[in-house]
Amino acid sequence: MKQQPILKVADLSKSFGGVHAVNGVGFELQPGETLGIIGPNGSGKSTLINLITGFVKPDSGKVIFRGQDITGAPPFKIVTSGIARSFQMARSFSSMPVYKNLIVPLYSARARKLKGGQYGDRDETAIHLLEEVGFERDSSVPYKLAGSLPHGYVKRLELARCLALDPEIIILDELFSGMSMSEVASILPLLERINEEGKTLIMVEHRLRELFRVVNRAIVLNFGTKIAEGTPEEVVAVQEVRDAYLGSETEDA
Amino acid sequence: MANVSYRKERIDRGIKARTDDIFAIASLQETLYLLFPRLLLIVPLVVFPLLQGIIGAYWETVFLIALVVTLLALSWDLLASVGLVSLGQALFYGVGGYFTAFLSNYLGLPPLISIPLATVSGASVCTLLLYPVLRLRGVYFGLITFAIPLLLMRTIEATKILGGTEGISGLAPLPGLTVELYVMVAIAFVGVFGLRRLIDTDYGLVLRAIRDNDRSVEAGGINVPWYKAQAVFIAALPATFAGAFIAHHYQVVGMSAFALDYSVLPLTAVVIGGPGSFAGALLGAFVLVPLSETLRQFGTLRVVIYSVILLIFVVGLPEGIFRFAQRKYQQFERLVPMEEVAKE
Ligand SMILES: Nc1ncnc2c1ncn2[C@@H]1O[C@H](COP(=O)(O)OP(=O)(O)O)[C@@H](O)[C@H]1O
Ligand SMILES: [Mg+2]
């Protein structure tokens, strides 16, 4: 018995010059599901996310969110409708204190409707969100300039920005890259909890063991094309996947 | 040991001190501490227009020009706060001037109406004009803004519209220099303190975030082009006002309103005074304008001296006069008792 999918991506394509970064990729996602996107570097994972979230306009294909066509809509509109994302190349608002970074999403039309997004509550909400992603509340870190943060913290700040928007779908592009093992270990339970709360998760990740703790299904990209889809076990078993990607990656994972 | 710890504390407290602002006015000492630098800005500007008999009309006019550059510089500083580097403040200035000339001469409106109307409608038109290029970043936006006023100037010259090279004259006069100076001083204060407040609100924070990293702002669910357009509109207001006001002061507006001076002077004023503080725009304008007037007697050497002074500021004091003074003032005056240091 299938519900109506929360997200439906159909035949998305995008070329940069001669490079087919994403080539006819499609998948469906049920509400509350968790999906992993894996594939070698340059296989089009980030581009696929950019296409879904409006940061890059597709050459062809459709993105349907809760039955609505959001293909090529401006990013802020897609965020407002309920899809938040993090960036692989995370950058903070370096000239302001860390917690003030979160005032920006909290000021958005979407967050202002939420509890804690109103004027006067935002600073407190921001501190609370930072705490949730593992910033120590009583330390001076939230009040430091964001430009001075180590990379792992910037990644967590990215996650906090997504949470500030209380989205229905969270898309995380290599959240774990640049994080230490212990940082990843401390974030994993949070991701599991977010999913238990009913949020749909899409994660691009190289660390398969950690990824498969969170997601129950994965698609594999290679040269912009989807070469496999299924449960973690199914995906890893496909020979083409092993050849294209896992052969080199699993050894050092 | 005590000295070392509270110096560091001073610098770190910047963030909290701001939110404390309202509550800090508890003791007389605190009040004076907060008031003194503001009075240092306000008192000279309020007193100067009264000294006309002593200083003479020439320097009063220089004072007026400094106020014009202040408004253009405030405008520049707000644009820079959203990451838009303008090389064409003359656009706003000229549009304000021509709009009020039209409203005054062709519609017969008095300055009391034509100036505010020209300010708002001029700012709207400039915003619409710049909207398509707001997505351009850094030097590209700068180049476009640099080109537009020059383009308008040549268009007026070639097509002879809007009075051509002669300009439009016979604008309704203003009530006299003293009143004019006070109106400009008042507007400059509203600009400096208003914008300082604005940039500190959550709204202002979003604007500054756009400068830092517009992609993340967009990912935060904020319509970046729309916010940029709002910032351009707000930034255009003081500048179109200045243009409209001065048009009535001289009772004429011409192509020279789009001249390069009105683009270069505000930018330089902010560099001298300190970007991002708005008070720096005012300080910079009041250093730069009298200085360049004084340097006139040096003839061509003026340019050399002028460049050297600029160089000194860009290299030696990139934070500008205002932030430098602010830092020194806070470090020197605001000694924090030891238990407050211990609390951190
Ligand atoms: N903005 C862009 N301009 C040109 N080429 C791009 C752009 N973004 C991505 N590409 C190219 O598209 C391909 C896929 O890149 P990407 O989506 O970043 O892969 P992944 O995230 O899987 O490492 C690469 O060949 C990359 O060079
Ligand atoms: Mg990538």
Side-chain angles (χ1 to χ4, degrees):
Chain A
M1 225 187 57
K2 261 186 139 186
Q3 301 167 260
Q4 140 119 320
I6 188 166
L7 184 71
K8 185 175 167 193
V9 173
D11 207 25
L12 271 189
S13 293
K14 177 73 192 179
S15 302
F16 295 108
V19 182
H20 293 286
V22 169
N23 198 355
V25 173
F27 63 85
E28 283 188 11
L29 211 52
Q30 300 302 318
E33 232 193 326
T34 50
L35 178 79
I37 301 177
I38 57 178
N41 274 329
S43 58
K45 306 181 295 294
S46 295
T47 304
L48 177 59
I49 289 174
N50 286 335
L51 292 173
I52 296 170
T53 53
F55 283 87
V56 172
K57 312 283 171 234
D59 297 335
S60 62
K62 286 246 173 297
V63 182
I64 313 285
F65 175 55
R66 290 187 316 187
Q68 276 197 328
D69 189 349
I70 57 163
T71 320
F76 85 91
K77 273 198 181 151
I78 295 179
V79 173
T80 307
S81 70
I83 304 180
R85 66 163 296 178
S86 77
F87 289 98
Q88 182 179 355
M89 301 291 175
R91 278 197 297 139
S92 61
F93 306 125
S94 50
S95 70
M96 47 188 83
V98 175
Y99 79 104
K100 287 285 185 192
N101 273 246
L102 294 176
I103 301 300
V104 173
L106 289 173
Y107 194 80
S108 68
R110 181 175 178 88
R112 261 189 275 182
K113 290 191 208 108
L114 306 168
K115 189 170 151 286
Q118 282 86 28
Y119 175 76
D121 296 338
R122 291 188 202 118
D123 284 1
E124 184 55 31
T125 311
I127 299 284
H128 180 75
L129 283 163
L130 286 176
E131 209 177 2
E132 209 166 338
V133 296
F135 285 67
E136 299 81 10
R137 185 189 191 92
D138 293 326
S139 78
S140 61
V141 179
Y143 305 98
K144 280 192 181 145
L145 281 186
S148 67
L149 280 181
H151 192 65
Y153 276 88
V154 179
K155 281 304 188 64
R156 285 192 255 169
L157 189 57
E158 282 277 295
L159 177 59
R161 168 164 54 66
C162 295
L163 297 180
L165 294 159
D166 190 31
E168 286 163 59
I169 301 181
I170 299 182
I171 307 181
L172 302 170
D173 194 353
E174 300 200 24
L175 181 71
F176 295 159
S177 73
M179 280 193 189
S180 68
M181 278 307 216
S182 62
E183 278 181 302
V184 173
S186 69
I187 290 294
L188 278 173
L190 171 64
L191 294 179
E192 285 166 339
R193 204 179 72 228
I194 290 169
N195 179 230
E196 275 160 24
E197 283 166 8
K199 296 203 189 307
T200 308
L201 268 181
I202 298 179
M203 291 181 69
V204 171
E205 205 49 64
H206 279 298
R207 305 197 198 187
L208 296 188
R209 195 177 309 150
E210 286 84 358
L211 175 70
F212 290 153
R213 259 191 65 181
V214 182
V215 304
N216 47 34
R217 194 157 65 90
I219 63 174
V220 187
L221 297 184
N222 196 22
F223 294 112
T225 311
K226 186 173 86 174
I227 56 168
E229 175 167 6
T231 64
E233 297 74 29
E234 285 166 1
V235 160
V236 192
V238 176
Q239 189 57 43
E240 211 182 346
V241 174
R242 292 175 166 274
D243 295 343
Y245 172 56
L246 298 171
S248 59
E249 291 281 338
T250 35
E251 272 140 52
D252 55 29
Chain B
M1 181 217 148
N3 270 331
V4 179
S5 15
Y6 60 42
R7 246 161 218 246
K8 273 186 184 154
E9 166 69 3
R10 211 49 349 274
I11 294 162
D12 280 357
R13 262 178 62 95
I15 311 151
K16 273 202 242 158
R18 217 176 268 156
T19 44
D20 287 345
D21 214 38
I22 303 154
F23 311 100
I25 306 177
S27 69
L28 182 67
Q29 204 186 345
E30 280 279 282
T31 313
L32 283 177
Y33 175 82
L34 289 171
L35 222 53
F36 179 69
R38 288 169 173 79
L39 289 177
L40 215 57
L41 277 184
I42 294 169
V43 172
L45 290 184
V46 171
V47 171
F48 201 88
L50 295 176
L51 306 178
Q52 234 174 112
I54 305 164
I55 316 171
Y58 172 73
W59 283 104
E60 292 289 338
T61 307
V62 172
F63 184 79
L64 184 67
I65 297 168
L67 286 164
V68 167
V69 173
T70 300
L71 294 186
L72 293 175
L74 286 172
S75 164
W76 190 92
D77 210 9
L78 182 62
L79 288 175
S81 303
V82 259
L84 297 169
V85 176
S86 161
L87 300 177
Q89 292 301 89
L91 168 66
F92 305 125
Y93 186 75
V95 165
Y98 274 101
F99 268 52
T100 202
F102 177 82
L103 294 170
S104 173
N105 278 18
Y106 299 131
L107 301 185
L109 297 173
L112 203 60
I113 297 171
S114 71
I115 294 176
L117 207 58
T119 303
V120 175
S121 57
S124 312
V125 167
C126 289
T127 309
L128 283 176
L129 198 65
L130 291 176
Y131 190 79
V133 294
L134 288 184
R135 71 180 73 243
L136 298 179
R137 324 198 55 185
V139 70
Y140 298 101
F141 178 80
L143 277 176
I144 299 279
T145 55
F146 180 79
I148 295 176
L150 299 180
L151 196 93
L152 289 174
M153 212 162 143
R154 295 291 155 243
T155 311
I156 291 170
E157 190 180 14
T159 61
K160 301 195 167 49
I161 49 161
L162 297 168
T165 46
E166 304 285 303
I168 303 172
S169 53
L171 273 67
L174 293 171
L177 193 57
T178 310
V179 176
E180 290 171 35
L181 290 176
Y182 274 120
V183 170
M184 285 292 278
V185 165
I187 297 285
F189 284 150
V190 170
V192 170
F193 293 111
L195 290 175
R196 278 177 72 78
R197 184 120 295 198
L198 177 84
I199 211 70
D200 252 0
T201 60
D202 287 351
Y203 176 80
L205 186 113
V206 171
L207 297 185
R208 282 180 287 141
I210 291 174
R211 177 196 55 198
D212 272 9
N213 178 357
D214 57 353
R215 194 187 62 167
S216 281
V217 177
E218 188 91 31
I222 302 245
N223 187 348
V224 169
W226 175 233
Y227 274 70
K228 273 190 177 174
Q230 290 175 15
V232 170
F233 177 74
I234 298 169
L237 291 172
T240 49
F241 174 84
F245 194 84
I246 290 303
H248 282 281
H249 170 79
Y250 290 124
Q251 293 182 262
V252 58
V253 61
M255 279 165 26
S256 63
F258 290 113
L260 207 54
D261 287 28
Y262 300 110
S263 299
V264 174
L265 283 174
L267 185 156
T268 315
V270 177
V271 168
I272 292 175
S277 64
F278 302 105
L282 180 98
L283 280 177
F286 274 84
V287 170
L288 179 69
V289 173
L291 191 76
S292 63
E293 286 302 322
T294 315
L295 291 179
R296 257 181 221 289
Q297 53 193 303
F298 288 94
T300 37
L301 216 84
R302 164 177 169 239
V303 183
V304 178
I305 301 170
Y306 184 70
S307 311
V308 168
I309 291 168
L310 241 187
L311 213 66
I312 290 171
F313 273 99
V314 171
V315 177
L317 199 64
E319 64 181 340
I321 299 172
F322 178 73
R323 291 220 194 278
F324 178 77
Q326 190 183 37
R327 200 156 48 83
K328 287 293 164 206
Y329 182 66
Q330 291 184 342
Q331 279 174 354
F332 178 73
E333 200 82 38
R334 248 193 151 174
L335 304 182
V336 181
M338 277 315 285
E339 66 263 26
E340 211 165 326
V341 176
K343 218 170 59 186
E344 279 297 296

PDB file of all heavy atoms in Angstrom, chain B residues 194-208:
ATOM      1  N   GLY B 194      19.662  56.398  12.207  1.00  0.00           N
ATOM      2  CA  GLY B 194      18.653  55.475  11.689  1.00  0.00           C
ATOM      3  C   GLY B 194      19.282  54.248  11.053  1.00  0.00           C
ATOM      4  O   GLY B 194      18.881  53.116  11.327  1.00  0.00           O
ATOM      5  N   LEU B 195      20.278  54.473  10.223  1.00  0.00           N
ATOM      6  CA  LEU B 195      20.908  53.341   9.544  1.00  0.00           C
ATOM      7  C   LEU B 195      21.712  52.482  10.510  1.00  0.00           C
ATOM      8  O   LEU B 195      21.765  51.264  10.373  1.00  0.00           O
ATOM      9  CB  LEU B 195      21.797  53.837   8.395  1.00  0.00           C
ATOM     10  CG  LEU B 195      21.051  54.412   7.195  1.00  0.00           C
ATOM     11  CD1 LEU B 195      22.015  54.997   6.170  1.00  0.00           C
ATOM     12  CD2 LEU B 195      20.163  53.361   6.553  1.00  0.00           C
ATOM     13  N   ARG B 196      22.337  53.130  11.501  1.00  0.00           N
ATOM     14  CA  ARG B 196      23.064  52.344  12.512  1.00  0.00           C
ATOM     15  C   ARG B 196      22.113  51.410  13.246  1.00  0.00           C
ATOM     16  O   ARG B 196      22.444  50.277  13.550  1.00  0.00           O
ATOM     17  CB  ARG B 196      23.758  53.269  13.519  1.00  0.00           C
ATOM     18  CG  ARG B 196      25.081  53.815  13.023  1.00  0.00           C
ATOM     19  CD  ARG B 196      25.701  54.769  14.014  1.00  0.00           C
ATOM     20  NE  ARG B 196      26.213  54.104  15.203  1.00  0.00           N
ATOM     21  CZ  ARG B 196      27.364  53.442  15.257  1.00  0.00           C
ATOM     22  NH1 ARG B 196      28.110  53.352  14.179  1.00  0.00           N
ATOM     23  NH2 ARG B 196      27.767  52.890  16.372  1.00  0.00           N
ATOM     24  N   ARG B 197      20.921  51.931  13.534  1.00  0.00           N
ATOM     25  CA  ARG B 197      19.917  51.106  14.201  1.00  0.00           C
ATOM     26  C   ARG B 197      19.437  49.993  13.271  1.00  0.00           C
ATOM     27  O   ARG B 197      19.377  48.836  13.640  1.00  0.00           O
ATOM     28  CB  ARG B 197      18.743  52.002  14.626  1.00  0.00           C
ATOM     29  CG  ARG B 197      17.702  51.260  15.397  1.00  0.00           C
ATOM     30  CD  ARG B 197      17.491  51.809  16.769  1.00  0.00           C
ATOM     31  NE  ARG B 197      18.626  51.694  17.669  1.00  0.00           N
ATOM     32  CZ  ARG B 197      18.524  51.803  18.990  1.00  0.00           C
ATOM     33  NH1 ARG B 197      17.351  51.990  19.529  1.00  0.00           N
ATOM     34  NH2 ARG B 197      19.584  51.724  19.761  1.00  0.00           N
ATOM     35  N   LEU B 198      19.112  50.398  12.046  1.00  0.00           N
ATOM     36  CA  LEU B 198      18.575  49.439  11.070  1.00  0.00           C
ATOM     37  C   LEU B 198      19.496  48.243  10.864  1.00  0.00           C
ATOM     38  O   LEU B 198      19.065  47.094  10.853  1.00  0.00           O
ATOM     39  CB  LEU B 198      18.333  50.140   9.729  1.00  0.00           C
ATOM     40  CG  LEU B 198      17.835  49.228   8.612  1.00  0.00           C
ATOM     41  CD1 LEU B 198      16.323  49.072   8.707  1.00  0.00           C
ATOM     42  CD2 LEU B 198      18.216  49.751   7.240  1.00  0.00           C
ATOM     43  N   ILE B 199      20.787  48.519  10.725  1.00  0.00           N
ATOM     44  CA  ILE B 199      21.730  47.466  10.385  1.00  0.00           C
ATOM     45  C   ILE B 199      21.929  46.518  11.575  1.00  0.00           C
ATOM     46  O   ILE B 199      22.419  45.409  11.418  1.00  0.00           O
ATOM     47  CB  ILE B 199      23.076  48.075   9.888  1.00  0.00           C
ATOM     48  CG1 ILE B 199      23.732  47.163   8.862  1.00  0.00           C
ATOM     49  CG2 ILE B 199      24.009  48.373  11.044  1.00  0.00           C
ATOM     50  CD1 ILE B 199      23.028  47.102   7.534  1.00  0.00           C
ATOM     51  N   ASP B 200      21.527  46.975  12.761  1.00  0.00           N
ATOM     52  CA  ASP B 200      21.648  46.152  13.957  1.00  0.00           C
ATOM     53  C   ASP B 200      20.426  45.286  14.219  1.00  0.00           C
ATOM     54  O   ASP B 200      20.461  44.396  15.052  1.00  0.00           O
ATOM     55  CB  ASP B 200      21.885  47.053  15.172  1.00  0.00           C
ATOM     56  CG  ASP B 200      23.302  46.942  15.665  1.00  0.00           C
ATOM     57  OD1 ASP B 200      24.074  46.169  15.069  1.00  0.00           O
ATOM     58  OD2 ASP B 200      23.643  47.618  16.640  1.00  0.00           O
ATOM     59  N   THR B 201      19.330  45.562  13.521  1.00  0.00           N
ATOM     60  CA  THR B 201      18.131  44.742  13.695  1.00  0.00           C
ATOM     61  C   THR B 201      18.326  43.404  12.985  1.00  0.00           C
ATOM     62  O   THR B 201      19.304  43.210  12.256  1.00  0.00           O
ATOM     63  CB  THR B 201      16.896  45.422  13.076  1.00  0.00           C
ATOM     64  OG1 THR B 201      17.145  45.612  11.678  1.00  0.00           O
ATOM     65  CG2 THR B 201      16.607  46.766  13.725  1.00  0.00           C
ATOM     66  N   ASP B 202      17.388  42.494  13.191  1.00  0.00           N
ATOM     67  CA  ASP B 202      17.447  41.215  12.491  1.00  0.00           C
ATOM     68  C   ASP B 202      17.372  41.426  10.978  1.00  0.00           C
ATOM     69  O   ASP B 202      18.011  40.717  10.200  1.00  0.00           O
ATOM     70  CB  ASP B 202      16.303  40.300  12.948  1.00  0.00           C
ATOM     71  CG  ASP B 202      16.553  39.771  14.356  1.00  0.00           C
ATOM     72  OD1 ASP B 202      17.660  39.989  14.870  1.00  0.00           O
ATOM     73  OD2 ASP B 202      15.640  39.156  14.931  1.00  0.00           O
ATOM     74  N   TYR B 203      16.586  42.409  10.566  1.00  0.00           N
ATOM     75  CA  TYR B 203      16.492  42.739   9.142  1.00  0.00           C
ATOM     76  C   TYR B 203      17.864  43.145   8.598  1.00  0.00           C
ATOM     77  O   TYR B 203      18.313  42.647   7.558  1.00  0.00           O
ATOM     78  CB  TYR B 203      15.485  43.874   8.957  1.00  0.00           C
ATOM     79  CG  TYR B 203      15.358  44.376   7.532  1.00  0.00           C
ATOM     80  CD1 TYR B 203      14.593  43.676   6.611  1.00  0.00           C
ATOM     81  CD2 TYR B 203      15.998  45.546   7.126  1.00  0.00           C
ATOM     82  CE1 TYR B 203      14.464  44.125   5.308  1.00  0.00           C
ATOM     83  CE2 TYR B 203      15.874  46.008   5.828  1.00  0.00           C
ATOM     84  CZ  TYR B 203      15.104  45.298   4.918  1.00  0.00           C
ATOM     85  OH  TYR B 203      14.993  45.742   3.630  1.00  0.00           O
ATOM     86  N   GLY B 204      18.536  44.025   9.334  1.00  0.00           N
ATOM     87  CA  GLY B 204      19.868  44.470   8.931  1.00  0.00           C
ATOM     88  C   GLY B 204      20.861  43.321   8.910  1.00  0.00           C
ATOM     89  O   GLY B 204      21.762  43.270   8.070  1.00  0.00           O
ATOM     90  N   LEU B 205      20.676  42.418   9.843  1.00  0.00           N
ATOM     91  CA  LEU B 205      21.545  41.238   9.898  1.00  0.00           C
ATOM     92  C   LEU B 205      21.403  40.403   8.634  1.00  0.00           C
ATOM     93  O   LEU B 205      22.388  39.901   8.085  1.00  0.00           O
ATOM     94  CB  LEU B 205      21.162  40.413  11.124  1.00  0.00           C
ATOM     95  CG  LEU B 205      22.052  39.222  11.432  1.00  0.00           C
ATOM     96  CD1 LEU B 205      22.795  39.475  12.723  1.00  0.00           C
ATOM     97  CD2 LEU B 205      21.249  37.962  11.514  1.00  0.00           C
ATOM     98  N   VAL B 206      20.167  40.257   8.165  1.00  0.00           N
ATOM     99  CA  VAL B 206      19.934  39.508   6.924  1.00  0.00           C
ATOM    100  C   VAL B 206      20.650  40.206   5.769  1.00  0.00           C
ATOM    101  O   VAL B 206      21.286  39.562   4.929  1.00  0.00           O
ATOM    102  CB  VAL B 206      18.423  39.360   6.648  1.00  0.00           C
ATOM    103  CG1 VAL B 206      18.184  38.776   5.261  1.00  0.00           C
ATOM    104  CG2 VAL B 206      17.775  38.490   7.706  1.00  0.00           C
ATOM    105  N   LEU B 207      20.575  41.537   5.739  1.00  0.00           N
ATOM    106  CA  LEU B 207      21.259  42.285   4.678  1.00  0.00           C
ATOM    107  C   LEU B 207      22.763  42.026   4.712  1.00  0.00           C
ATOM    108  O   LEU B 207      23.394  41.763   3.688  1.00  0.00           O
ATOM    109  CB  LEU B 207      20.991  43.786   4.806  1.00  0.00           C
ATOM    110  CG  LEU B 207      19.548  44.262   4.646  1.00  0.00           C
ATOM    111  CD1 LEU B 207      19.483  45.786   4.687  1.00  0.00           C
ATOM    112  CD2 LEU B 207      18.930  43.751   3.353  1.00  0.00           C
ATOM    113  N   ARG B 208      23.333  42.074   5.910  1.00  0.00           N
ATOM    114  CA  ARG B 208      24.784  41.853   6.020  1.00  0.00           C
ATOM    115  C   ARG B 208      25.143  40.415   5.654  1.00  0.00           C
ATOM    116  O   ARG B 208      26.209  40.144   5.105  1.00  0.00           O
ATOM    117  CB  ARG B 208      25.264  42.173   7.441  1.00  0.00           C
ATOM    118  CG  ARG B 208      25.405  43.673   7.683  1.00  0.00           C
ATOM    119  CD  ARG B 208      25.880  43.950   9.089  1.00  0.00           C
ATOM    120  NE  ARG B 208      24.835  43.709  10.067  1.00  0.00           N
ATOM    121  CZ  ARG B 208      25.019  43.161  11.260  1.00  0.00           C
ATOM    122  NH1 ARG B 208      26.221  42.774  11.615  1.00  0.00           N
ATOM    123  NH2 ARG B 208      24.015  42.989  12.089  1.00  0.00           N
TER     124      ARG B 208
END
